[in-house]
């Protein structure tokens, strides 16, 4: 049984139960989740300052999980904040939600659109798409103009707006795949399959399944990110 750590990098357990529900709907036999949030941290990561504040506590949870035998770690935020730093510091595979979602989307259609909560989110996510080499596959961003506090207060309204934004991305932007920037629920995934004419990638589903693959490869073949060039560890961390 391989255990995979999922860190919700916020100082709140508001997302933990939904995360477990989503994972349980798709996880393969032989994998078990360890879902954690920060004991102290920002309420969300909509600001760069909040993102930086979350990194230290998140890395501490990942170090602990590695020592205790977890086979992979997941950063549960589409921003992928701290992904490169965590790969420098740790040996186990570390999966970024945004990276996994975009890589999956690129295998399902030629161009994809990303539905975001606020326009504030777009610059960082667009930069990440460029760094991943995905900018030519990106049809558009569409914003529903609801941040995390609004999402928690009115999830049904958020999901209604997401469907509408997805339909507009297909009709006007040429999207062949819709990518959400926030994990949803199995029920909403079913609704999206009914109402959207193209595949929808839930980033939570994408990063969990990617982490299952990486955990399996790590345990069976010792495969993880390279300790060199971009992910070279600082001297004090080298074995």
């Amino acid at each position: 049984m391989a255990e995979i750590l999922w860190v919700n990098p916020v100082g709140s357990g508001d997302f933990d139960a939904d995360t477990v529900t989503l994972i349980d709907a798709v996880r393969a036999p032989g994998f078990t989740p360890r879902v954690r949030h920060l004991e102290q941290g920002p309420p969300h990561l909509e600001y760069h300052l909040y993102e930086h504040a979350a990194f230290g506590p998140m890395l501490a949870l990942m170090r602990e999980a590695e020592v205790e035998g977890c086979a992979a770690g997941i950063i549960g935020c589409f921003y992928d904040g701290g992904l490169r730093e965590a790969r420098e510091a740790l040996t186990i595979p570390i999966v970024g939600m945004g990276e996994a979602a975009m890589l999956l989307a690129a295998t399902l259609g030629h161009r994809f659109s990303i539905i975001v909560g606020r326009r504030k989110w777009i610059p960082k996510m667009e930069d990440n798409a460029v760094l991943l080499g995905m900018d030519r596959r990106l049809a558009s961003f569409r914003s529903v103009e609801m941040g995390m506090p609004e999402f928690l207060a009115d999830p049904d309204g958020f999901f209604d707006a997401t469907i509408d934004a997805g339909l507009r991305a297909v009709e006007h932007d040429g999207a062949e795949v819709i990518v959400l920037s926030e994990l949803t629920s199995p029920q909403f995934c079913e609704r999206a399959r009914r109402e959207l004419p193209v595949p929808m990638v839930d980033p939570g589903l994408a990063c969990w399944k990617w982490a299952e693959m990486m955990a399996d490869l790590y345990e069976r073949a010792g495969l993880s990110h390279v300790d060199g060039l971009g992910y070279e560890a600082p001297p004090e961390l080298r074995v």
Side-chain angles (χ1 to χ4, degrees):
M1 181 72 71
E3 189 173 20
I4 297 172
L5 172 70
W6 176 308
V7 179
N8 285 320
V10 293
S12 166
D14 287 343
F15 305 98
D16 292 356
D18 289 341
T19 300
V20 172
T21 297
L22 178 69
I23 292 171
D24 284 344
V26 299
R27 69 183 175 95
F31 299 95
T32 184
R34 179 191 295 196
V35 177
R36 297 288 186 271
H37 64 273
L38 309 183
E39 290 301 317
Q40 292 185 335
H44 51 72
L45 300 186
E46 292 184 9
Y47 302 97
H48 299 298
L49 290 169
Y50 287 5
E51 186 177 29
H52 284 282
F55 175 69
M58 179 183 74
L59 183 60
L61 288 174
M62 289 187 165
R63 286 185 187 279
E64 177 184 340
E66 182 175 63
V67 170
E68 293 177 354
C70 283
I74 294 170
I75 298 174
C77 175
F78 202 93
Y79 275 153
D80 288 351
L83 178 60
R84 290 176 175 78
E85 293 85 348
R87 286 174 176 169
E88 282 184 352
L90 302 166
T91 301
I92 60 172
I94 303 299
V95 175
M97 179 184 284
E99 181 181 69
M102 285 188 268
L103 290 172
L104 176 58
T107 72
L108 300 178
H110 180 61
R111 302 183 78 208
F112 59 86
S113 288
I114 300 175
I115 311 301
V116 302
R118 293 178 57 210
R119 283 171 288 181
K120 162 70 176 171
W121 303 5
I122 294 175
K124 176 66 179 286
M125 294 180 184
E126 189 170 38
D127 285 349
N128 286 347
V130 171
L131 291 172
L132 283 170
M134 290 287 168
D135 47 311
R136 294 184 63 184
R137 309 294 294 274
L138 181 61
S140 65
F141 284 94
R142 289 276 177 171
S143 174
V144 302
E145 288 308 299
M146 293 177 68
M148 293 314 302
E150 291 77 22
F151 166 71
L152 290 171
D154 185 14
D156 290 337
F158 181 89
F159 294 147
D160 288 344
T162 296
I163 291 289
D164 181 65
L167 291 170
R168 286 185 283 117
V170 172
E171 181 179 356
H172 299 293
D173 307 330
E176 296 178 350
V177 182
I178 298 300
V179 178
L180 303 188
S181 63
E182 191 60 50
L183 63 88
T184 57
S185 66
Q187 293 75 22
F188 179 73
C189 290
E190 292 177 6
R191 176 186 172 187
R193 283 194 290 271
R194 294 193 306 269
E195 298 185 23
L196 292 175
V198 299
M200 184 200 77
V201 172
D202 182 295
L205 182 152
C207 68
W208 175 261
K209 299 307 286 187
W210 198 274
E212 285 186 350
M213 177 184 70
M214 292 307 304
D216 193 43
L217 289 171
Y218 180 67
E219 293 200 324
R220 294 176 184 270
L223 188 63
S224 189
H225 47 271
V226 63
D227 181 15
L229 295 179
Y231 297 142
E232 180 182 306
E236 63 272 16
L237 295 181
R238 295 178 198 159
V239 177

mmCIF file of all heavy atoms in Angstrom, residues 54-76:
data_model
loop_
_atom_site.group_PDB
_atom_site.id
_atom_site.type_symbol
_atom_site.label_atom_id
_atom_site.label_comp_id
_atom_site.label_asym_id
_atom_site.label_seq_id
_atom_site.Cartn_x
_atom_site.Cartn_y
_atom_site.Cartn_z
ATOM 1 N N ALA A 54 2.881 30.375 2.897
ATOM 2 C CA ALA A 54 2.461 28.975 3.038
ATOM 3 C C ALA A 54 3.593 27.993 2.785
ATOM 4 O O ALA A 54 3.518 26.833 3.205
ATOM 5 C CB ALA A 54 1.313 28.688 2.070
ATOM 6 N N PHE A 55 4.659 28.431 2.105
ATOM 7 C CA PHE A 55 5.641 27.459 1.630
ATOM 8 C C PHE A 55 6.380 26.741 2.757
ATOM 9 O O PHE A 55 6.524 25.519 2.742
ATOM 10 C CB PHE A 55 6.660 28.112 0.696
ATOM 11 C CG PHE A 55 7.752 27.154 0.292
ATOM 12 C CD1 PHE A 55 7.461 26.082 -0.536
ATOM 13 C CD2 PHE A 55 9.040 27.304 0.771
ATOM 14 C CE1 PHE A 55 8.445 25.165 -0.891
ATOM 15 C CE2 PHE A 55 10.035 26.398 0.424
ATOM 16 C CZ PHE A 55 9.739 25.327 -0.418
ATOM 17 N N GLY A 56 6.864 27.469 3.761
ATOM 18 C CA GLY A 56 7.632 26.839 4.832
ATOM 19 C C GLY A 56 6.854 25.745 5.546
ATOM 20 O O GLY A 56 7.344 24.605 5.674
ATOM 21 N N PRO A 57 5.631 26.034 6.037
ATOM 22 C CA PRO A 57 4.846 24.985 6.691
ATOM 23 C C PRO A 57 4.513 23.817 5.758
ATOM 24 O O PRO A 57 4.477 22.663 6.197
ATOM 25 C CB PRO A 57 3.579 25.717 7.142
ATOM 26 C CG PRO A 57 3.977 27.152 7.251
ATOM 27 C CD PRO A 57 4.992 27.364 6.172
ATOM 28 N N MET A 58 4.270 24.111 4.485
ATOM 29 C CA MET A 58 3.976 23.038 3.535
ATOM 30 C C MET A 58 5.178 22.115 3.369
ATOM 31 O O MET A 58 5.049 20.882 3.383
ATOM 32 C CB MET A 58 3.577 23.625 2.181
ATOM 33 C CG MET A 58 3.270 22.570 1.122
ATOM 34 S SD MET A 58 2.876 23.264 -0.496
ATOM 35 C CE MET A 58 4.519 23.794 -1.031
ATOM 36 N N LEU A 59 6.365 22.698 3.231
ATOM 37 C CA LEU A 59 7.561 21.887 3.071
ATOM 38 C C LEU A 59 7.816 21.037 4.307
ATOM 39 O O LEU A 59 8.250 19.878 4.201
ATOM 40 C CB LEU A 59 8.770 22.781 2.781
ATOM 41 C CG LEU A 59 10.095 22.048 2.528
ATOM 42 C CD1 LEU A 59 9.978 21.116 1.331
ATOM 43 C CD2 LEU A 59 11.221 23.058 2.310
ATOM 44 N N ALA A 60 7.526 21.572 5.479
ATOM 45 C CA ALA A 60 7.707 20.800 6.711
ATOM 46 C C ALA A 60 6.823 19.554 6.711
ATOM 47 O O ALA A 60 7.266 18.458 7.106
ATOM 48 C CB ALA A 60 7.396 21.673 7.930
ATOM 49 N N LEU A 61 5.578 19.684 6.256
ATOM 50 C CA LEU A 61 4.691 18.520 6.168
ATOM 51 C C LEU A 61 5.223 17.512 5.161
ATOM 52 O O LEU A 61 5.135 16.289 5.383
ATOM 53 C CB LEU A 61 3.283 18.969 5.774
ATOM 54 C CG LEU A 61 2.459 19.705 6.826
ATOM 55 C CD1 LEU A 61 1.152 20.208 6.217
ATOM 56 C CD2 LEU A 61 2.173 18.809 8.019
ATOM 57 N N MET A 62 5.778 17.997 4.068
ATOM 58 C CA MET A 62 6.299 17.090 3.045
ATOM 59 C C MET A 62 7.555 16.370 3.529
ATOM 60 O O MET A 62 7.735 15.177 3.262
ATOM 61 C CB MET A 62 6.575 17.858 1.754
ATOM 62 C CG MET A 62 5.306 18.296 1.053
ATOM 63 S SD MET A 62 5.609 19.024 -0.563
ATOM 64 C CE MET A 62 3.945 18.976 -1.258
ATOM 65 N N ARG A 63 8.428 17.069 4.254
ATOM 66 C CA ARG A 63 9.617 16.416 4.820
ATOM 67 C C ARG A 63 9.192 15.299 5.782
ATOM 68 O O ARG A 63 9.753 14.194 5.770
ATOM 69 C CB ARG A 63 10.462 17.438 5.568
ATOM 70 C CG ARG A 63 11.251 18.406 4.700
ATOM 71 C CD ARG A 63 12.133 19.262 5.609
ATOM 72 N NE ARG A 63 12.805 20.321 4.892
ATOM 73 C CZ ARG A 63 13.918 20.163 4.183
ATOM 74 N NH1 ARG A 63 14.450 18.961 4.069
ATOM 75 N NH2 ARG A 63 14.492 21.187 3.578
ATOM 76 N N GLU A 64 8.237 15.597 6.631
ATOM 77 C CA GLU A 64 7.745 14.609 7.585
ATOM 78 C C GLU A 64 7.184 13.395 6.857
ATOM 79 O O GLU A 64 7.460 12.237 7.238
ATOM 80 C CB GLU A 64 6.665 15.242 8.465
ATOM 81 C CG GLU A 64 6.011 14.296 9.454
ATOM 82 C CD GLU A 64 4.878 14.950 10.223
ATOM 83 O OE1 GLU A 64 4.826 16.199 10.289
ATOM 84 O OE2 GLU A 64 4.042 14.211 10.748
ATOM 85 N N ALA A 65 6.402 13.641 5.803
ATOM 86 C CA ALA A 65 5.797 12.539 5.053
ATOM 87 C C ALA A 65 6.859 11.685 4.375
ATOM 88 O O ALA A 65 6.750 10.449 4.327
ATOM 89 C CB ALA A 65 4.819 13.097 4.020
ATOM 90 N N GLU A 66 7.894 12.319 3.846
ATOM 91 C CA GLU A 66 8.960 11.556 3.198
ATOM 92 C C GLU A 66 9.665 10.654 4.207
ATOM 93 O O GLU A 66 9.909 9.473 3.934
ATOM 94 C CB GLU A 66 9.963 12.502 2.546
ATOM 95 C CG GLU A 66 11.082 11.773 1.807
ATOM 96 C CD GLU A 66 11.998 12.731 1.066
ATOM 97 O OE1 GLU A 66 12.652 13.554 1.732
ATOM 98 O OE2 GLU A 66 12.063 12.645 -0.175
ATOM 99 N N VAL A 67 9.977 11.189 5.369
ATOM 100 C CA VAL A 67 10.636 10.401 6.417
ATOM 101 C C VAL A 67 9.763 9.221 6.833
ATOM 102 O O VAL A 67 10.262 8.117 7.120
ATOM 103 C CB VAL A 67 10.962 11.295 7.628
ATOM 104 C CG1 VAL A 67 11.410 10.454 8.817
ATOM 105 C CG2 VAL A 67 12.032 12.315 7.270
ATOM 106 N N GLU A 68 8.445 9.432 6.841
ATOM 107 C CA GLU A 68 7.524 8.389 7.299
ATOM 108 C C GLU A 68 7.121 7.426 6.187
ATOM 109 O O GLU A 68 6.273 6.559 6.400
ATOM 110 C CB GLU A 68 6.291 9.039 7.933
ATOM 111 C CG GLU A 68 6.631 9.782 9.229
ATOM 112 C CD GLU A 68 5.442 10.498 9.838
ATOM 113 O OE1 GLU A 68 4.366 10.522 9.195
ATOM 114 O OE2 GLU A 68 5.587 11.038 10.949
ATOM 115 N N GLY A 69 7.715 7.576 5.003
ATOM 116 C CA GLY A 69 7.532 6.566 3.970
ATOM 117 C C GLY A 69 6.520 6.858 2.889
ATOM 118 O O GLY A 69 6.220 5.972 2.072
ATOM 119 N N CYS A 70 5.965 8.078 2.843
ATOM 120 C CA CYS A 70 5.062 8.409 1.741
ATOM 121 C C CYS A 70 5.824 8.311 0.415
ATOM 122 O O CYS A 70 7.009 8.642 0.330
ATOM 123 C CB CYS A 70 4.475 9.802 1.910
ATOM 124 S SG CYS A 70 3.142 9.888 3.133
ATOM 125 N N ALA A 71 5.136 7.870 -0.614
ATOM 126 C CA ALA A 71 5.778 7.616 -1.902
ATOM 127 C C ALA A 71 5.664 8.775 -2.875
ATOM 128 O O ALA A 71 6.283 8.745 -3.948
ATOM 129 C CB ALA A 71 5.190 6.359 -2.540
ATOM 130 N N ALA A 72 4.890 9.792 -2.553
ATOM 131 C CA ALA A 72 4.752 10.978 -3.408
ATOM 132 C C ALA A 72 4.057 12.061 -2.607
ATOM 133 O O ALA A 72 3.419 11.788 -1.577
ATOM 134 C CB ALA A 72 3.965 10.672 -4.683
ATOM 135 N N GLY A 73 4.179 13.296 -3.069
ATOM 136 C CA GLY A 73 3.506 14.427 -2.443
ATOM 137 C C GLY A 73 2.807 15.281 -3.479
ATOM 138 O O GLY A 73 3.265 15.381 -4.624
ATOM 139 N N ILE A 74 1.704 15.886 -3.077
ATOM 140 C CA ILE A 74 0.904 16.742 -3.962
ATOM 141 C C ILE A 74 0.757 18.116 -3.339
ATOM 142 O O ILE A 74 0.435 18.235 -2.149
ATOM 143 C CB ILE A 74 -0.501 16.146 -4.188
ATOM 144 C CG1 ILE A 74 -0.426 14.832 -4.957
ATOM 145 C CG2 ILE A 74 -1.405 17.140 -4.931
ATOM 146 C CD1 ILE A 74 -1.756 14.081 -4.996
ATOM 147 N N ILE A 75 0.987 19.149 -4.134
ATOM 148 C CA ILE A 75 0.686 20.519 -3.736
ATOM 149 C C ILE A 75 -0.729 20.824 -4.221
ATOM 150 O O ILE A 75 -0.977 20.932 -5.425
ATOM 151 C CB ILE A 75 1.690 21.513 -4.339
ATOM 152 C CG1 ILE A 75 3.104 21.204 -3.826
ATOM 153 C CG2 ILE A 75 1.294 22.956 -4.001
ATOM 154 C CD1 ILE A 75 4.185 22.037 -4.483
ATOM 155 N N GLY A 76 -1.669 20.953 -3.289
ATOM 156 C CA GLY A 76 -3.079 21.064 -3.644
ATOM 157 C C GLY A 76 -3.519 22.463 -3.996
ATOM 158 O O GLY A 76 -4.504 22.966 -3.442
#
